[in-house]
Amino acid sequence: MSTTAELTELILLAASERGALLVRNNSGVARFKDRVVRYGVGTTQGGGGDLIGLTYDGIFLSIEIKVGNDRVKKLQDTWRSWITMRNGRAGVARCVQDAIDIIEGKK
């Protein structure tokens, strides 16, 4: 897999084939005049998965996509732990099979 965008598209397709609903979780900071607005699902500092959604039976999903030498940040790991402690499914996907394993509760 060469790019995050390519892997994301393949994961979205694999998820839909398994009845899961995943959407892109864009996050960041926007500035409007004198206001700062943080957006995206995660902690107030970020960390939410690149893809979030639900399994076909309603279990919350959060998938962090990494390619090449990308590393998981501390906030991303904190988010993953927070979700899994609450019976959601969260993890890091470096390939489509990783995402399938997260969706199916195998990882």
Side-chain angles (χ1 to χ4, degrees):
M1 193 55 42
S2 60
T3 70
T4 302
E6 291 169 341
L7 180 55
T8 299
E9 290 301 316
L10 292 173
I11 289 172
L12 289 170
L13 178 61
S16 68
E17 290 170 347
R18 284 155 183 80
L21 171 66
L22 287 175
V23 295
R24 187 85 182 93
N25 179 34
N26 294 315
S27 61
V29 177
R31 300 186 193 294
F32 297 99
K33 298 183 182 179
D34 61 342
R35 296 180 182 239
V36 175
V37 178
R38 295 185 188 280
Y39 58 92
V41 174
T43 69
T44 57
Q45 301 297 312
D50 294 315
L51 299 174
I52 58 171
L54 299 168
T55 64
Y56 71 93
D57 55 350
I59 298 170
F60 185 78
L61 293 169
S62 178
I63 299 174
E64 182 64 36
I65 299 172
K66 297 292 182 191
V67 296
N69 293 325
D70 290 349
R71 295 183 183 188
V72 177
K73 296 177 180 134
K74 184 176 181 182
L75 281 171
Q76 293 168 333
D77 195 47
T78 299
W79 173 258
R80 182 201 53 77
S81 294
W82 191 83
I83 296 301
T84 57
M85 285 189 312
R86 289 158 177 80
N87 299 317
R89 297 180 185 162
V92 177
R94 292 187 173 277
C95 64
V96 175
Q97 188 60 52
D98 287 345
I100 291 169
D101 290 346
I102 295 164
I103 292 165
E104 294 178 349
K106 298 176 184 174
K107 185 174 183 181

